[in-house]
Amino acid sequence: MQNSGSQTPRVRHRRRSSEVVQEASKANGMLVNDQNKYRSMLIRAYSTVWMIAGFALVIYMGHLYITAMIVVIQIFMAKELFNLLRRTHEDRRLPGFRMLNWHFFFTAMLFVYGRILSQQLVNTVTTDKVLYKLVSKLVKYHMIACYALYIAGFVWFIVTLKKKMYKYQFGQYAWTHMILIVVFAQSAFTVANIFEGIFWFLLPASLIVINDIAAYIFGFFFGRTPLIKLSPKKTWEGFIGASFTTMISAFVLASIMGRFRWLTCPRKDLSTSWLQCDPGPFFRPEYYTIPRLFAEWFPWKEVAIMPVQWHALCLGLFASIIAPFGGFFASGFKRAFKIKDFGDSIPGHGGITDRMDCQMVMAVFAYIYHQSFVVALTLSVETILEQILMNLTLEEQQTLFMKLGQIINETITAES
Amino acid sequence: MQNGSSQTPWVRHRRRSNEGVQEASKANETHLLVNDQNKYRSMLVWACSSVWMIGGFVLIIYMGHLYITAMIVVIQIFMARELFNLLRRGHEDRCLPGFRMLNWHFFFTAMLFVYGRILSQRLVNTVTSDKVLYQLVSKLIKYHMIACYSLYIAGFVWFILTLKKGMYKYQFGQYAWTHMILIVVFTQSAFTVANIFEGIFWFLLPATLIVINDIAAYFFGFFFGRTPLIQLSPKKTWEGFIGASFTTMISAFVLTSIMGRFQWLTCPRKDLSTGWLQCDPGPLFRPEYYATPKWFPEWFPWKEMAIMPVQWHALCLGLFASIIAPFGGFFASGFKRAFNVKDFGDSIPGHGGITDRMDCQMVMAVFAYIYHQSFVMGQNLMVETILEQILMNLTFEEQQTLYMKLGQILNERMTAQS
């Protein structure tokens, strides 16, 4: 029953098929005292290397492929989570009920990605007149189409309500909605960030991975004091060590990543070609002279720091302090419903949702941070003018001009 | 245990405190309204509550956009309270002090987020005259999203820190339940408020159609109801359903022509003031004249009809209100059965709780908003969003600079084309 491939060092119980004798010596449960920790670390490291390599390849290939990767991850996550609270006995009596989950999944996917990628889609087809008209119509009626699909699912649900199965069906309905909201909110924000520049996806994701790995290693070597009852294998030493490591790597990684146009330029359409752009004020290094205090032993006379590195520090702070709560939430959830792992797709790590739990919290924060502090600061007369000229037709520009004129006139008369 | 005042004619069982003898005679009968002896008495209670609700509603409409929004906020608070209480279990709750606070924390965060987003533009327009307030409000709006997110994360962390051994399942269940309630309650009220500021018409018409559909279904069922409609709500009948559909669509057409004449109802509100409104109602509300077709009977008094384009839109709204919106009611009925609850609450005599009245309204409000965005306002969506961005993020001087530059570019284009 226990699968040796689906162990993480952080689950409550650790059993291997032929090592019952270990349990007696594991009364303490801490990683430091475990004899076989090196073996589990090897399995875990192996999976990690593959995941990171695959990830790097997809980053190299570009925005569209990253989005595709996220969609695939989403589908697997949704499948894991849909299956989690399903009860096969009830399900046998409700044929076609699983279809409903996937119907809502498809509707949510259409809605979320349609909204995020609509502008990019329009920009991709500007050259072809027929396609442009078609795409514009699709974008215009996108919301009502998604709503119609949702209502169809809603009506279908009500019509298939079966006597005595009401509670199960309503529970499943609520569960489906919660899953879709959790899965799609974070992936929507992730994809939105990607098209603003791969940097804004890559940095937060890397910070979570670094935080994870650093916490594991610090806990491995120094872990003594338990952190939280929910996850007994986490330790304060691991937590604090990982926090420092994360913040330092945020600062350093941002300066490395900020040099590549591939990572910092926003993608305006759905092409996969190379990117050229003016990276913007955030990625231009500013030069600071080292204060006399450090000048003696510090090899450089002045330091080039990009403004984005300060933002990276904030992201690092969040990744080390708050994002682990996503992991605690998932642990608590698994305990509440008595599950060991969400799935067992990844050897040494559990299911895909087990890997994504902290990433989800971080992705949402990264998007909101970006919208509030990065985009808002770069909104100026030039950028909005550029938006107007690029996104609106001539008639719409003239309408905008008229309306803006009216509003300005009203404000002037109101003030005087 | 059964409360005589929390009956609706559409619940499964109907019991009154001292009418046990009725039950025996109802054992074999169907529960259709036509066969019930005391239906007239219950109808009186129901009618009394209805009159009061409609009267209060009309008064609020007269007072204006801001007061309607306030009414919606109050309704929301009551709905949320009813729904929060519904699946709470007293025993577990005693072991978790402060857990109810978490619900209201999330409620407050959702309220701040939703109304801040919808009313931000109006708020800015209200304070444009005062420089200091304007700066303050602009800053608030700029950091609105991150503020709401911080509040949400604070609640999330609080939830995790207060997880108690042995209570995990209950707490996670409550957490999910809270989220579902807030999403359901706030989505529809957000859309309702957004519609109100586009013009009270777009809130009043859908709401009225639901009420008319309800009342018409009740009366048609009362007099003609024979064939049951759906297992979930045994008192609903096909006769009621179809009669109500026709009534709703006809009243949609007629009501629109009446409502469309009042600028108070058709003009959008650009700020948060409460004064009188003047505006150009737009092409939708200008009557177009059609000559009466030849096949209309001789006695038809008018030779030509004035029909506003909005009346065709109203027909679509009426169609939705009669066919799809009742499914909101079926959903609520199924939900009540699933969890063995009679009514969501008992605030309104004859009708049940507030959620019982709002179940169809919620479905309608969302549709009305999406319909409005797609078919009525669809043309200028992009323009509106960019305009909003301009007004929210640029100072007045920057707006003027933008205006000048845009003017220059457009002029260049015009001369280049000609």
Side-chain angles (χ1 to χ4, degrees), chain B residues 191-204:
Chain B
F191 289 166
T192 309
V193 171
N195 262 1
I196 289 174
F197 282 88
E198 293 291 335
I200 299 184
F201 176 85
W202 297 104
F203 157 70
L204 189 56

Side-chain angles (χ1 to χ4, degrees), chain B residues 323-336:
Chain B
I323 310 283
I324 305 291
F327 280 87
F330 300 153
F331 186 87
S333 298
F335 185 85
K336 285 187 282 194

Side-chain angles (χ1 to χ4, degrees), chain A residues 193 196 366-377, chain B residues 142 145:
Chain A
N193 262 0
E196 294 287 337
Y367 175 78
I368 292 181
Y369 186 88
H370 180 78
Q371 289 294 101
S372 303
F373 296 110
V374 176
V375 164
L377 290 176
Chain B
K142 206 163 163 183
M145 207 165 171

